[in-house]
Amino acid sequence: MSHAASADVTPSLGVAVKLLVISALIYVLWRAYSARSRPELRTVAILVLGDIGRSPRMMYHAESFATNGFLTYLVGYGGSKPIPSLLSLPRVRILPLHEPPSHWRRLPFIISGPLKVLNQIVEIFHTLVVHIPHPPEFIMVQNPPSIPTLAIVWLVSRIRGSKVIIDWHNLGYSILALKLGDRHPFVRVAKWFERYFGRYAYAHLFVTNAMKEFLIKEWDLQGHKVVLHDRPPERFHRASPSETHELFQVLLPKLSSAALTSFLPTSKPPYSTPFTYIPPSGRSSAADPASNFGLDMNDLSPLSESISMPQLRSDRTALLVSSTSWTPDEDFGLLLEALKRYELRARECESKPAGERLPKVLMVVTGKGPLRQQYMNEVEHLQAAEGEQWRFVRCVSLWLEAKDYPLLLGSADLGVSLHSSSSALDLPMKIVDMFGCGLPVCALGFACLDELVKDGVNGLVFHNAEELATQLESLLRGFPSAPALSALRTSFRRVTPPAGTSTGARDWEWGTWAENWNHTMRPLLLHDVATEASL
């Protein structure tokens, strides 16, 4: 064969390979498209472009779909363990997405960024089209992130005939604008992408009324539009002294640093923790726990004729909790400044009568994030500084298992939220969790926060460190018998506000996630289903 002939064959082979690949792709798309008119009823695919175990709202959605008879595919990345109640449901199928190869992280961002997005596109598309054997009736997608999920779900819904439900948690472009600025070209592209691919859906869910009104006005959303406020599941509740006792038996090793052991009340496991104690046999259950620590706690033998139940200690420190992602949009420095002010004020009140003093405070911060180590280094310096060491405040960062997190909230005395919405249209899930555990909060104020926090009813709103410090002082004065704090707690025990209460109190309503989801979502999901009259 001549050289010219060989050259003619090489391009022909290249063209043939390209035609073969294109034909194969067309065949796959045609096969998928042929089933688009036959989605399987009572099935849903829920897409989370993140750690499933750290996406509580989407896990709650999956749990609600499954308990209402839907075969539920939960698609997302692994990492944290999902909630136990979700794993126990036979109708839930978790389909994990695979992380990009670790060596990609060593590549320059201009290379690794596009590769990561390409990997996500392939993983999501393959999972929704191939791993799920029959077209699901619904595909629910969490937003943000918007890129590339909204476009992929838009394409898959047209291929498979599924109805799309977009759960608007926030606006993706607004989060990007925090880093790059509103006028950055990438932010403008992201906003166009989110508006274009997010405009049309079978249904749009919103976490606030403010977000619903904004997106309808600005983006002219098409489809059903409903507000589904976050609510906690039933396992979030006020912890009993026994539950608190068991929790701190588990957490005690994490509270064993020298800075904490010298700060917290003495405890002797398993009969006491820094917050609870079991009264000795034969002593009155009303005895002051502080006086019991002169006794030999080993006298509390399990073989005693009568075993007392754990009780809260009257000499315990006030337990404050905050959950943070340790990112720039949550200013942990504000909390540190407030704790510094509280420390100074507590020293000033040290010589006053018992009812006017300020208690010691243990601030527990949960969560993971990039700025954690930076701030905790500053905390350690404040807690160990010679001469100026904090005497009334300690701060510790903990990462809890899903089953322990509600118990910590239910055992705490006050919650603190540092969430500042990038869009001013979403609400912090952490406050929802706290309210589910009957825990009042001090929350950083922003535009639509009043849809959740009723100032002076179920919490207080602050705007700077000075206001937060003043609120901590007013709520904790006289602890554990703190009248102002007790007044906020009553809102969680009251079903209907009594006559004569403020408008804010009368607007304050609560319930579980299941109650709220069933009320809002059942009519939406049953709208055009004719095979069954009810779930």
Side-chain angles (χ1 to χ4, degrees), residues 13 51 84 115 176 216 222 234 363 395 405 426:
L13 287 175
D51 186 339
L115 284 176
L176 185 61
I216 291 175
Q222 302 298 306
E234 292 182 355
M363 181 81 240
C395 183
Y405 179 62
D426 70 315

Tab-separated table of all heavy atoms in Angstrom, residues 13 51 84 115 176 216 222 234 363 395 405 426:
chain	number	residue	atom	x	y	z
A	13	LEU	N	-10.502	6.180	9.378
A	13	LEU	CA	-10.667	5.486	10.662
A	13	LEU	C	-11.093	6.467	11.751
A	13	LEU	O	-11.952	6.156	12.581
A	13	LEU	CB	-9.352	4.802	11.054
A	13	LEU	CG	-8.970	3.559	10.269
A	13	LEU	CD1	-7.588	3.060	10.679
A	13	LEU	CD2	-10.006	2.456	10.485
A	51	ASP	N	-22.336	16.534	51.130
A	51	ASP	CA	-22.353	15.436	52.093
A	51	ASP	C	-23.791	15.190	52.536
A	51	ASP	O	-24.421	16.066	53.142
A	51	ASP	CB	-21.466	15.811	53.281
A	51	ASP	CG	-21.296	14.683	54.290
A	51	ASP	OD1	-22.142	13.760	54.309
A	51	ASP	OD2	-20.334	14.715	55.068
A	84	PRO	N	-30.000	7.991	61.831
A	84	PRO	CA	-30.386	6.567	61.949
A	84	PRO	C	-31.792	6.271	61.455
A	84	PRO	O	-32.033	5.228	60.855
A	84	PRO	CB	-30.255	6.310	63.460
A	84	PRO	CG	-29.273	7.325	63.948
A	84	PRO	CD	-29.517	8.544	63.109
A	115	LEU	N	-12.102	20.131	35.727
A	115	LEU	CA	-12.130	18.670	35.862
A	115	LEU	C	-13.139	18.234	36.920
A	115	LEU	O	-13.855	17.245	36.746
A	115	LEU	CB	-10.743	18.137	36.221
A	115	LEU	CG	-9.704	18.086	35.090
A	115	LEU	CD1	-8.356	17.620	35.627
A	115	LEU	CD2	-10.179	17.147	33.973
A	176	LEU	N	-21.585	33.194	46.028
A	176	LEU	CA	-20.376	33.462	45.248
A	176	LEU	C	-19.991	34.938	45.327
A	176	LEU	O	-18.806	35.290	45.366
A	176	LEU	CB	-20.599	33.051	43.795
A	176	LEU	CG	-19.400	33.139	42.851
A	176	LEU	CD1	-18.276	32.227	43.320
A	176	LEU	CD2	-19.823	32.781	41.426
A	216	ILE	N	-40.416	35.174	42.676
A	216	ILE	CA	-41.575	35.334	41.783
A	216	ILE	C	-41.519	36.685	41.082
A	216	ILE	O	-41.764	36.789	39.872
A	216	ILE	CB	-42.891	35.186	42.579
A	216	ILE	CG1	-43.071	33.733	43.047
A	216	ILE	CG2	-44.083	35.622	41.734
A	216	ILE	CD1	-44.279	33.526	43.928
A	222	GLN	N	-42.030	29.675	37.122
A	222	GLN	CA	-43.185	28.975	36.576
A	222	GLN	C	-43.336	27.623	37.269
A	222	GLN	O	-42.372	26.879	37.411
A	222	GLN	CB	-43.010	28.770	35.074
A	222	GLN	CG	-42.826	30.062	34.286
A	222	GLN	CD	-44.037	30.971	34.384
A	222	GLN	OE1	-45.164	30.570	34.091
A	222	GLN	NE2	-43.818	32.217	34.808
A	234	GLU	N	-39.285	14.800	65.073
A	234	GLU	CA	-39.789	14.558	66.420
A	234	GLU	C	-38.688	14.222	67.423
A	234	GLU	O	-38.870	14.415	68.626
A	234	GLU	CB	-40.830	13.429	66.398
A	234	GLU	CG	-42.123	13.803	65.677
A	234	GLU	CD	-43.150	12.692	65.712
A	234	GLU	OE1	-42.805	11.592	66.216
A	234	GLU	OE2	-44.271	12.916	65.256
A	363	MET	N	-19.266	27.613	76.593
A	363	MET	CA	-19.751	27.817	75.229
A	363	MET	C	-19.284	26.656	74.360
A	363	MET	O	-18.094	26.485	74.113
A	363	MET	CB	-19.169	29.125	74.688
A	363	MET	CG	-19.602	29.494	73.289
A	363	MET	SD	-21.209	30.261	73.233
A	363	MET	CE	-22.069	29.085	72.196
A	395	CYS	N	-14.670	28.053	76.205
A	395	CYS	CA	-15.223	27.776	74.873
A	395	CYS	C	-14.552	26.527	74.331
A	395	CYS	O	-13.315	26.398	74.390
A	395	CYS	CB	-14.986	28.967	73.954
A	395	CYS	SG	-15.701	28.783	72.299
A	405	TYR	N	-26.327	15.186	68.721
A	405	TYR	CA	-26.548	16.617	68.514
A	405	TYR	C	-27.879	17.100	69.104
A	405	TYR	O	-27.908	18.114	69.825
A	405	TYR	CB	-26.449	16.943	67.028
A	405	TYR	CG	-26.685	18.392	66.675
A	405	TYR	CD1	-25.845	19.385	67.165
A	405	TYR	CD2	-27.743	18.765	65.849
A	405	TYR	CE1	-26.060	20.726	66.844
A	405	TYR	CE2	-27.957	20.096	65.525
A	405	TYR	CZ	-27.110	21.064	66.024
A	405	TYR	OH	-27.334	22.383	65.699
A	426	ASP	N	-32.987	33.582	53.378
A	426	ASP	CA	-33.083	32.246	53.954
A	426	ASP	C	-33.011	32.324	55.472
A	426	ASP	O	-32.721	33.381	56.040
A	426	ASP	CB	-31.962	31.348	53.415
A	426	ASP	CG	-30.595	31.755	53.954
A	426	ASP	OD1	-30.306	32.966	53.970
A	426	ASP	OD2	-29.824	30.870	54.357
